[in-house]
Amino acid sequence: MELNKLTAHELRGLLDKGDISSIDISNSILGAVEKKDKALNAIVHFDREKVIERSKASKGLPIFIKDNICVKDEMTTCCSKILNGFKPPYDATVIKKLLKEDFILMGKTNMDEFAFGSSTESSCYGPTKNPWDMERIPGGSSGGSAACVAADEAIFALGSDTGGSIRQPAALCGVVGLKPTYGRVSRYGLIAFASSLDQIGTLTKDVEDAALLLKVISGHDSMDSTSAPVSVPDHSLKIKDDIKGLKIGIPQEYFGQGLDSDVKNCVLKAIEKIGQLGAKCEKVNLPHTEYAVAVYYIIATAEASSNLARFDGVQYGLRAKDAKAIIDMYKKTRAQGFGDEAKRRIILGTFALSSGYYDAYYLRALKVRTLIKKDFDDAFRKFDAIVTPTSPTPAFKIGERTQDPLTMYLSDIFTISANLAGIPGVSVPCGFTKENLPVGLQILGRPFDEETILKIAYNYEQATEWHKKRPDL
Amino acid sequence: MAITKDTVKYAANLARIELSEKELEHFTGQLDRVLEYVHKLEGLNVEKLAPTSHVMDIKNVYRDDIVKESLPASEAIKNAPAKEGDLFKVQKIIEA
């Protein structure tokens, strides 16, 4: 039996029966990583001996972690040269929670530098490939986490989602990606990109695993003032209930210009299936959808420019060697340490916050954010969930959009609004294009109602075979 | 033009990022296109709207001021590119 190909809930059953031990699972994963990852480049920090040692001492499941989540004394670099060699002196809260439940930390996954991207091409370790077509990108920024799960190099992985960075790569790699409600999961130890948008979430092979992992990482944390003081329900108990009578909104703005025709067909068929399962699907309008990308790229870059001020060559990571005075050292360190996309975003964010431009850009974006949030508030008065495509296109070719930031930014057009509104979203596989590239269905829900979206996702998934398809590597 | 080379240069200086002439040229063109796109927000009347900087209904989060154990300085400074004792070491700040 190839254990690396199983889900966490299947493996948990085998472990509990005593049929296998944790080291068997890890060996199977190690085999897959060694065989496939040279070509795939999904994993950036990995220590075989340490993994074996940990697995022998554990009765738990192995998990990979996105490289922007702090693990004590392990390389945590956000795939940026500026954090070269950084080993955090503490564990992120999600890591503490995983270790408490005996999970085995396998290593760190590739990502766009500081999560700035939709393709994992801006990583200082080079791009991750899409396991379905090695000439294409896996999506991003959690492209490494999505690709390693899709390629059965992992059972599951953690990612982070600021504008779609879990859901979009999940869709493009054919796995399940869950972005919980803002505040559901503590971000203590997540290296900040945009603090009003960032959320840690999961990349898994099926919906049951997403529910299982969400339960482990959720909960209020006094170390994160934005973590919500709400209880942690056990969603895995409820997701198998049927979806009869649930009201689902289909936003018309998500099916217009720019939507790939194969993607559209897959999503429309999925909506039909959800209807057959007993939910009532009706049209809804989210009238400010077209403004989401513009709002996002002002707010996210403004927050990023502030968050990334800490990378100045003083406390950690890279320091430029050839500088004389301190300002010169800051400037040279940041010039050498940040990649192009990080520089662009920091400069754009600084500009949007600067005197004379603040009202026209930043303040205006915050006000339009109010309208986008209100669209969802209104829709959720009538509907229990909203269903859309996750990404307007399937995976694109490596290099296709790197020279054109605006086109790259528009890759996130369907996922960004959920972050602006703070609501949960999940992407589940819903078919393939004619070129055999995976397509994802996005289900959005009310704040703190992960249960409903996971229930819809589970019922749909179990009524189809898409989640069982794996790339031929 | 939504943004000029001088403005990009100005913002890069505020952000403490040194740019080469080539980068400046390149980024100005790219950021100009992004900002042109952002200008679609001007079509909306936002006068009476309150800004949303944060979606959660929490304002200030208070806790009792209790001294707890923190990271020892030697641990906190472990990643410093240059240090002296338990201190971060940097270039001279005040010019003669």
Side-chain angles (χ1 to χ4, degrees):
Chain A
M1 191 166 22
E2 291 171 290
L3 297 176
N4 59 310
K5 295 191 171 170
L6 300 184
T7 63
H9 59 89
E10 288 165 342
L11 289 167
R12 192 68 259 172
L14 294 172
L15 281 171
D16 290 346
K17 273 196 285 178
D19 290 352
I20 56 166
S21 59
S22 292
I23 186 74
D24 298 328
I25 307 171
S26 291
N27 279 332
S28 173
I29 294 286
L30 289 169
V33 170
E34 272 150 30
K35 194 173 135 207
K36 301 175 198 171
D37 206 62
K38 209 170 200 134
L40 203 61
N41 198 32
I43 292 151
V44 292
H45 307 303
F46 178 68
D47 182 337
R48 189 193 161 88
E49 299 312 311
K50 227 181 230 176
V51 166
I52 291 173
E53 206 177 292
R54 282 173 187 161
S55 307
K56 283 179 181 162
S58 167
K59 291 185 168 62
L61 294 163
I63 187 163
F64 280 92
I65 310 293
K66 188 176 180 180
D67 197 32
N68 58 353
I69 299 174
C70 289
V71 177
K72 189 175 191 294
D73 298 328
E74 306 259 328
M75 284 272 268
T76 300
T77 67
C78 290
C79 294
S80 175
K81 261 165 64 183
I82 210 160
L83 270 174
N84 188 24
F86 178 61
K87 291 183 174 174
Y90 65 92
D91 278 323
T93 297
V94 289
I95 299 299
K96 277 197 183 138
K97 285 176 182 278
L98 290 172
L99 292 174
K100 203 174 147 217
E101 298 288 321
D102 212 14
F103 280 75
I104 303 157
L105 302 181
M106 299 295 284
K108 301 309 256 323
T109 57
N110 205 359
M111 57 185 279
D112 280 294
E113 183 181 13
F114 286 103
F116 296 155
S118 315
S119 68
T120 316
E121 291 171 287
S122 68
S123 163
C124 72
Y125 303 110
T128 296
K129 314 284 168 52
N130 189 311
W132 292 91
D133 178 348
M134 301 294 269
E135 287 178 7
R136 290 174 191 268
I137 58 94
S141 65
S142 310
S145 289
C148 73
V149 173
D152 288 318
E153 288 182 10
I155 307 304
F156 45 22
L158 289 189
S160 67
D161 190 316
T162 305
S165 280
I166 289 174
R167 291 160 286 153
Q168 184 254 18
L172 271 41
C173 288
V175 298
V176 175
L178 171 68
K179 180 200 98 74
T181 309
Y182 183 80
R184 173 67 91 186
V185 178
S186 167
R187 299 175 303 158
Y188 179 66
L190 170 70
I191 297 177
F193 159 9
S195 304
S196 80
L197 306 164
D198 295 340
Q199 182 61 200
I200 295 173
T202 64
L203 291 121
T204 59
K205 291 177 192 175
D206 68 7
V207 177
E208 191 168 346
D209 276 6
L212 185 154
L213 194 50
L214 178 65
K215 186 181 171 226
V216 177
I217 61 172
S218 296
H220 178 251
D221 177 17
S222 60
M223 300 301 280
D224 174 4
S225 300
T226 63
S227 86
V230 294
S231 62
V232 181
D234 189 350
H235 300 295
S236 53
L237 300 175
K238 292 277 184 66
I239 60 166
K240 296 183 183 178
D241 293 354
D242 69 57
I243 57 169
K244 288 199 178 79
L246 279 182
K247 283 192 208 133
I248 295 174
I250 314 296
Q252 297 311 291
E253 294 81 2
Y254 286 62
F255 291 86
Q257 214 188 355
L259 180 61
D260 177 274
S261 63
D262 284 2
V263 172
K264 187 175 177 180
N265 287 337
C266 290
V267 171
L268 290 178
K269 274 189 197 140
I271 291 168
E272 204 182 304
K273 180 61 113 183
I274 288 169
Q276 286 163 7
L277 292 168
K280 272 191 264 177
C281 301
E282 274 174 49
K283 289 180 182 174
V284 66
N285 285 102
L286 298 169
H288 298 94
T289 299
E290 66 164 304
Y291 302 105
V293 172
V295 168
Y296 176 86
Y297 277 93
I298 293 299
I299 295 176
T301 58
E303 292 185 18
S305 74
S306 166
N307 276 324
L308 271 67
R310 70 190 57 160
F311 303 106
D312 58 2
V314 175
Q315 299 172 77
Y316 25 60
L318 180 89
R319 176 184 293 185
K321 289 195 171 58
D322 49 345
K324 287 178 195 77
I326 192 146
I327 304 281
D328 193 36
M329 186 279 278
Y330 295 153
K331 285 187 176 176
K332 287 201 160 69
T333 296
R334 290 161 70 80
Q336 292 167 19
F338 289 133
D340 278 2
E341 185 57 21
K343 287 178 188 169
R344 266 193 297 269
R345 293 205 190 191
I346 293 169
I347 293 168
L348 178 59
T350 304
F351 166 76
L353 288 174
S354 64
S355 168
Y357 299 101
Y358 180 96
D359 286 3
Y361 290 101
Y362 183 64
L363 189 61
R364 179 172 286 268
L366 292 184
K367 287 179 172 182
V368 182
R369 184 179 185 178
T370 304
L371 294 174
I372 290 166
K373 183 173 182 295
K374 190 177 170 293
D375 282 356
F376 283 100
D377 291 345
D378 292 346
F380 285 127
R381 264 191 276 282
K382 186 169 175 201
F383 295 100
D384 298 301
I386 288 167
V387 170
T388 80
T390 307
S391 163
T393 67
F396 45 92
K397 291 262 171 73
I398 292 171
E400 197 180 305
R401 299 185 188 174
T402 43
Q403 284 313 306
D404 183 3
L406 181 60
T407 307
M408 185 72 92
Y409 297 171
L410 290 168
S411 317
D412 303 333
I413 193 159
F414 296 154
T415 45
I416 270 174
S417 298
N419 300 77
L420 292 169
I423 58 175
V426 62
S427 179
V428 278
C430 74
F432 290 84
T433 64
K434 289 185 203 81
E435 292 177 289
N436 201 36
L437 297 169
V439 176
L441 180 76
Q442 176 174 241
I443 309 168
L444 303 171
R446 296 186 182 105
F448 300 103
D449 190 14
E450 283 84 357
E451 190 167 288
T452 298
I453 61 170
L454 288 173
K455 191 177 3 182
I456 297 164
Y458 180 83
N459 275 268
Y460 170 73
E461 172 192 86
Q462 294 300 309
T464 59
E465 296 286 313
W466 308 121
H467 65 293
K468 291 181 183 158
K469 305 253 189 261
R470 284 286 164 265
D472 209 3
L473 273 175
Chain B
M1 288 271 288
I3 196 165
T4 62
K5 256 166 74 171
D6 282 348
T7 315
V8 172
K9 207 171 178 174
Y10 170 73
N13 179 53
L14 288 177
R16 300 289 186 246
I17 297 175
E18 190 176 82
L19 294 182
S20 67
E21 193 53 40
K22 205 177 140 201
E23 280 177 315
L24 184 61
E25 190 82 38
H26 195 51
F27 290 165
T28 303
Q30 290 174 326
L31 293 177
D32 187 54
R33 232 187 121 219
V34 172
L35 286 170
E36 285 286 353
Y37 178 80
V38 169
H39 282 178
K40 66 157 59 190
L41 299 182
E42 286 170 7
L44 287 166
N45 183 0
V46 297
E47 215 174 297
K48 289 186 183 137
L49 290 170
T52 298
S53 53
H54 205 276
V55 290
M56 282 174 83
D57 200 18
I58 46 172
K59 290 231 155 47
N60 295 316
V61 179
Y62 295 110
R63 59 171 170 77
D64 292 329
D65 189 15
I66 300 165
V67 178
K68 287 189 210 157
E69 205 182 330
S70 55
L71 275 182
S74 59
E75 277 291 302
I77 205 165
K78 219 169 49 181
N79 284 283
K83 55 191 159 190
E84 205 167 297
D86 279 344
L87 303 169
F88 294 103
K89 191 174 176 180
V90 293
Q91 280 90 343
K92 194 165 67 173
I93 290 174
I94 302 163
E95 301 285 326

mmCIF file of all heavy atoms in Angstrom, chain B residues 50-85:
data_model
loop_
_atom_site.group_PDB
_atom_site.id
_atom_site.type_symbol
_atom_site.label_atom_id
_atom_site.label_comp_id
_atom_site.label_asym_id
_atom_site.label_seq_id
_atom_site.Cartn_x
_atom_site.Cartn_y
_atom_site.Cartn_z
ATOM 1 N N ALA B 50 -18.166 55.105 5.613
ATOM 2 C CA ALA B 50 -17.145 54.948 6.645
ATOM 3 C C ALA B 50 -16.093 53.967 6.124
ATOM 4 O O ALA B 50 -16.433 52.993 5.459
ATOM 5 C CB ALA B 50 -17.778 54.408 7.918
ATOM 6 N N PRO B 51 -14.808 54.231 6.413
ATOM 7 C CA PRO B 51 -13.780 53.293 5.956
ATOM 8 C C PRO B 51 -13.792 51.992 6.762
ATOM 9 O O PRO B 51 -14.124 52.006 7.946
ATOM 10 C CB PRO B 51 -12.477 54.054 6.198
ATOM 11 C CG PRO B 51 -12.789 55.076 7.233
ATOM 12 C CD PRO B 51 -14.251 55.390 7.109
ATOM 13 N N THR B 52 -13.458 50.881 6.119
ATOM 14 C CA THR B 52 -13.308 49.602 6.824
ATOM 15 C C THR B 52 -11.832 49.250 6.837
ATOM 16 O O THR B 52 -11.271 48.864 5.823
ATOM 17 C CB THR B 52 -14.082 48.484 6.088
ATOM 18 O OG1 THR B 52 -15.469 48.822 6.074
ATOM 19 C CG2 THR B 52 -13.908 47.132 6.785
ATOM 20 N N SER B 53 -11.189 49.440 7.994
ATOM 21 C CA SER B 53 -9.781 49.060 8.054
ATOM 22 C C SER B 53 -9.656 47.640 8.587
ATOM 23 O O SER B 53 -8.618 47.012 8.482
ATOM 24 C CB SER B 53 -8.988 50.030 8.918
ATOM 25 O OG SER B 53 -9.597 50.161 10.172
ATOM 26 N N HIS B 54 -10.758 47.128 9.116
ATOM 27 C CA HIS B 54 -10.715 45.864 9.822
ATOM 28 C C HIS B 54 -12.143 45.324 9.849
ATOM 29 O O HIS B 54 -13.064 46.084 10.119
ATOM 30 C CB HIS B 54 -10.250 46.169 11.257
ATOM 31 C CG HIS B 54 -9.598 45.029 11.910
ATOM 32 N ND1 HIS B 54 -10.314 44.039 12.537
ATOM 33 C CD2 HIS B 54 -8.294 44.709 12.031
ATOM 34 C CE1 HIS B 54 -9.457 43.155 13.024
ATOM 35 N NE2 HIS B 54 -8.234 43.527 12.731
ATOM 36 N N VAL B 55 -12.348 44.024 9.565
ATOM 37 C CA VAL B 55 -13.723 43.529 9.461
ATOM 38 C C VAL B 55 -14.319 43.065 10.788
ATOM 39 O O VAL B 55 -15.523 42.880 10.895
ATOM 40 C CB VAL B 55 -13.835 42.348 8.471
ATOM 41 C CG1 VAL B 55 -13.634 42.838 7.061
ATOM 42 C CG2 VAL B 55 -12.875 41.222 8.821
ATOM 43 N N MET B 56 -13.465 42.868 11.786
ATOM 44 C CA MET B 56 -14.002 42.313 13.030
ATOM 45 C C MET B 56 -14.556 43.395 13.932
ATOM 46 O O MET B 56 -14.067 44.513 13.959
ATOM 47 C CB MET B 56 -12.928 41.538 13.774
ATOM 48 C CG MET B 56 -12.709 40.167 13.179
ATOM 49 S SD MET B 56 -11.338 39.395 13.966
ATOM 50 C CE MET B 56 -12.150 38.757 15.405
ATOM 51 N N ASP B 57 -15.545 42.983 14.685
ATOM 52 C CA ASP B 57 -16.207 43.933 15.564
ATOM 53 C C ASP B 57 -15.476 44.027 16.902
ATOM 54 O O ASP B 57 -16.080 43.912 17.959
ATOM 55 C CB ASP B 57 -17.665 43.489 15.760
ATOM 56 C CG ASP B 57 -18.527 44.641 16.224
ATOM 57 O OD1 ASP B 57 -18.079 45.791 16.062
ATOM 58 O OD2 ASP B 57 -19.615 44.388 16.770
ATOM 59 N N ILE B 58 -14.173 44.169 16.861
ATOM 60 C CA ILE B 58 -13.425 44.365 18.099
ATOM 61 C C ILE B 58 -12.603 45.639 17.966
ATOM 62 O O ILE B 58 -12.093 45.930 16.895
ATOM 63 C CB ILE B 58 -12.491 43.169 18.455
ATOM 64 C CG1 ILE B 58 -11.687 42.715 17.234
ATOM 65 C CG2 ILE B 58 -13.260 42.028 19.061
ATOM 66 C CD1 ILE B 58 -10.626 41.678 17.554
ATOM 67 N N LYS B 59 -12.510 46.384 19.063
ATOM 68 C CA LYS B 59 -11.732 47.613 18.997
ATOM 69 C C LYS B 59 -10.431 47.441 19.784
ATOM 70 O O LYS B 59 -9.452 46.956 19.268
ATOM 71 C CB LYS B 59 -12.573 48.776 19.515
ATOM 72 C CG LYS B 59 -13.715 49.101 18.541
ATOM 73 C CD LYS B 59 -13.737 50.579 18.197
ATOM 74 C CE LYS B 59 -14.392 50.867 16.864
ATOM 75 N NZ LYS B 59 -15.674 50.199 16.607
ATOM 76 N N ASN B 60 -10.470 47.764 21.028
ATOM 77 C CA ASN B 60 -9.255 47.590 21.816
ATOM 78 C C ASN B 60 -9.326 46.296 22.606
ATOM 79 O O ASN B 60 -10.336 45.975 23.200
ATOM 80 C CB ASN B 60 -9.082 48.758 22.776
ATOM 81 C CG ASN B 60 -8.851 50.045 22.029
ATOM 82 O OD1 ASN B 60 -8.078 50.071 21.072
ATOM 83 N ND2 ASN B 60 -9.527 51.104 22.426
ATOM 84 N N VAL B 61 -8.239 45.551 22.586
ATOM 85 C CA VAL B 61 -8.186 44.299 23.329
ATOM 86 C C VAL B 61 -7.261 44.513 24.527
ATOM 87 O O VAL B 61 -6.065 44.740 24.359
ATOM 88 C CB VAL B 61 -7.659 43.152 22.440
ATOM 89 C CG1 VAL B 61 -7.586 41.848 23.219
ATOM 90 C CG2 VAL B 61 -8.550 42.986 21.210
ATOM 91 N N TYR B 62 -7.841 44.503 25.712
ATOM 92 C CA TYR B 62 -7.050 44.765 26.918
ATOM 93 C C TYR B 62 -6.689 43.475 27.636
ATOM 94 O O TYR B 62 -7.378 42.473 27.529
ATOM 95 C CB TYR B 62 -7.842 45.649 27.884
ATOM 96 C CG TYR B 62 -8.113 47.027 27.341
ATOM 97 C CD1 TYR B 62 -9.396 47.405 26.968
ATOM 98 C CD2 TYR B 62 -7.073 47.942 27.191
ATOM 99 C CE1 TYR B 62 -9.650 48.669 26.467
ATOM 100 C CE2 TYR B 62 -7.323 49.210 26.693
ATOM 101 C CZ TYR B 62 -8.603 49.574 26.335
ATOM 102 O OH TYR B 62 -8.840 50.819 25.841
ATOM 103 N N ARG B 63 -5.603 43.532 28.379
ATOM 104 C CA ARG B 63 -5.263 42.427 29.280
ATOM 105 C C ARG B 63 -4.608 43.038 30.507
ATOM 106 O O ARG B 63 -4.164 44.199 30.470
ATOM 107 C CB ARG B 63 -4.321 41.429 28.608
ATOM 108 C CG ARG B 63 -3.018 42.056 28.151
ATOM 109 C CD ARG B 63 -2.033 41.011 27.703
ATOM 110 N NE ARG B 63 -0.892 41.637 27.054
ATOM 111 C CZ ARG B 63 0.092 42.258 27.713
ATOM 112 N NH1 ARG B 63 0.081 42.338 29.036
ATOM 113 N NH2 ARG B 63 1.094 42.805 27.048
ATOM 114 N N ASP B 64 -4.568 42.258 31.574
ATOM 115 C CA ASP B 64 -3.895 42.746 32.769
ATOM 116 C C ASP B 64 -2.397 42.843 32.499
ATOM 117 O O ASP B 64 -1.828 42.037 31.766
ATOM 118 C CB ASP B 64 -4.144 41.794 33.945
ATOM 119 C CG ASP B 64 -5.609 41.835 34.355
ATOM 120 O OD1 ASP B 64 -6.226 42.906 34.199
ATOM 121 O OD2 ASP B 64 -6.138 40.797 34.785
ATOM 122 N N ASP B 65 -1.797 43.834 33.080
ATOM 123 C CA ASP B 65 -0.371 44.061 32.859
ATOM 124 C C ASP B 65 0.429 43.199 33.833
ATOM 125 O O ASP B 65 0.839 43.657 34.900
ATOM 126 C CB ASP B 65 -0.068 45.552 33.044
ATOM 127 C CG ASP B 65 1.344 45.891 32.608
ATOM 128 O OD1 ASP B 65 1.962 45.060 31.907
ATOM 129 O OD2 ASP B 65 1.831 46.970 32.964
ATOM 130 N N ILE B 66 0.625 41.973 33.461
ATOM 131 C CA ILE B 66 1.327 41.040 34.336
ATOM 132 C C ILE B 66 2.672 40.670 33.699
ATOM 133 O O ILE B 66 2.732 40.372 32.506
ATOM 134 C CB ILE B 66 0.496 39.747 34.543
ATOM 135 C CG1 ILE B 66 -0.860 40.096 35.180
ATOM 136 C CG2 ILE B 66 1.250 38.734 35.407
ATOM 137 C CD1 ILE B 66 -1.867 38.981 35.090
ATOM 138 N N VAL B 67 3.699 40.732 34.487
ATOM 139 C CA VAL B 67 5.027 40.384 33.971
ATOM 140 C C VAL B 67 5.112 38.877 33.794
ATOM 141 O O VAL B 67 4.840 38.104 34.714
ATOM 142 C CB VAL B 67 6.142 40.866 34.934
ATOM 143 C CG1 VAL B 67 7.518 40.446 34.412
ATOM 144 C CG2 VAL B 67 6.080 42.373 35.103
ATOM 145 N N LYS B 68 5.434 38.479 32.560
ATOM 146 C CA LYS B 68 5.591 37.050 32.284
ATOM 147 C C LYS B 68 6.998 36.796 31.803
ATOM 148 O O LYS B 68 7.728 37.728 31.438
ATOM 149 C CB LYS B 68 4.613 36.617 31.190
ATOM 150 C CG LYS B 68 3.174 36.536 31.633
ATOM 151 C CD LYS B 68 2.372 35.881 30.522
ATOM 152 C CE LYS B 68 0.951 36.397 30.519
ATOM 153 N NZ LYS B 68 0.326 36.232 29.225
ATOM 154 N N GLU B 69 7.362 35.553 31.759
ATOM 155 C CA GLU B 69 8.676 35.196 31.258
ATOM 156 C C GLU B 69 8.751 35.544 29.768
ATOM 157 O O GLU B 69 7.795 35.325 29.029
ATOM 158 C CB GLU B 69 8.885 33.693 31.436
ATOM 159 C CG GLU B 69 10.348 33.325 31.536
ATOM 160 C CD GLU B 69 10.541 31.818 31.653
ATOM 161 O OE1 GLU B 69 9.646 31.144 32.202
ATOM 162 O OE2 GLU B 69 11.579 31.344 31.172
ATOM 163 N N SER B 70 9.855 36.127 29.348
ATOM 164 C CA SER B 70 10.007 36.424 27.925
ATOM 165 C C SER B 70 11.278 35.758 27.416
ATOM 166 O O SER B 70 12.026 35.159 28.178
ATOM 167 C CB SER B 70 10.032 37.932 27.704
ATOM 168 O OG SER B 70 11.025 38.512 28.498
ATOM 169 N N LEU B 71 11.500 35.899 26.117
ATOM 170 C CA LEU B 71 12.703 35.303 25.535
ATOM 171 C C LEU B 71 13.947 35.905 26.168
ATOM 172 O O LEU B 71 14.040 37.125 26.298
ATOM 173 C CB LEU B 71 12.765 35.612 24.040
ATOM 174 C CG LEU B 71 12.031 34.743 23.036
ATOM 175 C CD1 LEU B 71 12.324 35.291 21.641
ATOM 176 C CD2 LEU B 71 12.464 33.302 23.122
ATOM 177 N N PRO B 72 14.929 35.095 26.541
ATOM 178 C CA PRO B 72 16.184 35.674 27.015
ATOM 179 C C PRO B 72 16.847 36.462 25.881
ATOM 180 O O PRO B 72 16.692 36.106 24.705
ATOM 181 C CB PRO B 72 17.041 34.463 27.391
ATOM 182 C CG PRO B 72 16.259 33.248 27.046
ATOM 183 C CD PRO B 72 14.914 33.642 26.519
ATOM 184 N N ALA B 73 17.533 37.543 26.219
ATOM 185 C CA ALA B 73 18.145 38.407 25.193
ATOM 186 C C ALA B 73 19.047 37.596 24.260
ATOM 187 O O ALA B 73 19.061 37.821 23.046
ATOM 188 C CB ALA B 73 18.930 39.513 25.871
ATOM 189 N N SER B 74 19.760 36.634 24.801
ATOM 190 C CA SER B 74 20.685 35.855 23.969
ATOM 191 C C SER B 74 19.925 35.096 22.878
ATOM 192 O O SER B 74 20.430 34.911 21.767
ATOM 193 C CB SER B 74 21.479 34.888 24.837
ATOM 194 O OG SER B 74 20.589 34.021 25.514
ATOM 195 N N GLU B 75 18.706 34.661 23.187
ATOM 196 C CA GLU B 75 17.870 33.963 22.199
ATOM 197 C C GLU B 75 17.326 34.952 21.171
ATOM 198 O O GLU B 75 17.338 34.692 19.974
ATOM 199 C CB GLU B 75 16.669 33.304 22.900
ATOM 200 C CG GLU B 75 16.962 31.961 23.517
ATOM 201 C CD GLU B 75 17.216 30.898 22.452
ATOM 202 O OE1 GLU B 75 16.332 30.686 21.610
ATOM 203 O OE2 GLU B 75 18.316 30.319 22.468
ATOM 204 N N ALA B 76 16.833 36.091 21.687
ATOM 205 C CA ALA B 76 16.199 37.086 20.813
ATOM 206 C C ALA B 76 17.194 37.639 19.799
ATOM 207 O O ALA B 76 16.815 38.038 18.704
ATOM 208 C CB ALA B 76 15.610 38.216 21.647
ATOM 209 N N ILE B 77 18.446 37.628 20.153
ATOM 210 C CA ILE B 77 19.463 38.260 19.310
ATOM 211 C C ILE B 77 20.204 37.255 18.410
ATOM 212 O O ILE B 77 21.042 37.628 17.593
ATOM 213 C CB ILE B 77 20.461 39.026 20.219
ATOM 214 C CG1 ILE B 77 21.118 40.151 19.445
ATOM 215 C CG2 ILE B 77 21.475 38.095 20.835
ATOM 216 C CD1 ILE B 77 21.813 41.128 20.319
ATOM 217 N N LYS B 78 19.805 36.014 18.552
ATOM 218 C CA LYS B 78 20.527 34.916 17.887
ATOM 219 C C LYS B 78 20.682 35.094 16.375
ATOM 220 O O LYS B 78 21.676 34.685 15.788
ATOM 221 C CB LYS B 78 19.791 33.595 18.168
ATOM 222 C CG LYS B 78 20.699 32.429 18.414
ATOM 223 C CD LYS B 78 19.948 31.207 18.944
ATOM 224 C CE LYS B 78 18.714 30.884 18.129
ATOM 225 N NZ LYS B 78 17.984 29.714 18.658
ATOM 226 N N ASN B 79 19.666 35.701 15.733
ATOM 227 C CA ASN B 79 19.694 35.836 14.277
ATOM 228 C C ASN B 79 20.357 37.128 13.779
ATOM 229 O O ASN B 79 20.373 37.374 12.580
ATOM 230 C CB ASN B 79 18.268 35.776 13.729
ATOM 231 C CG ASN B 79 17.715 34.360 13.708
ATOM 232 O OD1 ASN B 79 18.074 33.563 12.837
ATOM 233 N ND2 ASN B 79 16.871 34.025 14.670
ATOM 234 N N ALA B 80 20.841 37.936 14.682
ATOM 235 C CA ALA B 80 21.387 39.239 14.266
ATOM 236 C C ALA B 80 22.584 39.072 13.330
ATOM 237 O O ALA B 80 23.468 38.265 13.604
ATOM 238 C CB ALA B 80 21.802 40.043 15.487
ATOM 239 N N PRO B 81 22.623 39.842 12.243
ATOM 240 C CA PRO B 81 23.769 39.766 11.338
ATOM 241 C C PRO B 81 25.063 40.269 12.000
ATOM 242 O O PRO B 81 26.146 39.845 11.631
ATOM 243 C CB PRO B 81 23.389 40.667 10.164
ATOM 244 C CG PRO B 81 22.014 41.154 10.391
ATOM 245 C CD PRO B 81 21.564 40.748 11.742
ATOM 246 N N ALA B 82 24.919 41.193 12.973
ATOM 247 C CA ALA B 82 26.091 41.645 13.723
ATOM 248 C C ALA B 82 25.645 41.961 15.147
ATOM 249 O O ALA B 82 24.584 42.542 15.352
ATOM 250 C CB ALA B 82 26.691 42.890 13.075
ATOM 251 N N LYS B 83 26.431 41.552 16.131
ATOM 252 C CA LYS B 83 26.053 41.833 17.513
ATOM 253 C C LYS B 83 27.289 42.051 18.377
ATOM 254 O O LYS B 83 28.402 41.698 17.996
ATOM 255 C CB LYS B 83 25.214 40.695 18.074
ATOM 256 C CG LYS B 83 25.861 39.329 17.987
ATOM 257 C CD LYS B 83 24.854 38.229 18.323
ATOM 258 C CE LYS B 83 25.331 36.907 17.748
ATOM 259 N NZ LYS B 83 24.331 35.852 17.821
ATOM 260 N N GLU B 84 27.043 42.626 19.535
ATOM 261 C CA GLU B 84 28.108 42.759 20.524
ATOM 262 C C GLU B 84 27.470 42.484 21.871
ATOM 263 O O GLU B 84 26.549 43.199 22.282
ATOM 264 C CB GLU B 84 28.702 44.170 20.463
ATOM 265 C CG GLU B 84 30.131 44.210 20.969
ATOM 266 C CD GLU B 84 30.819 45.530 20.617
ATOM 267 O OE1 GLU B 84 30.989 45.819 19.410
ATOM 268 O OE2 GLU B 84 31.156 46.272 21.563
ATOM 269 N N GLY B 85 27.903 41.437 22.526
ATOM 270 C CA GLY B 85 27.229 41.000 23.744
ATOM 271 C C GLY B 85 25.795 40.639 23.407
ATOM 272 O O GLY B 85 25.541 39.924 22.441
#
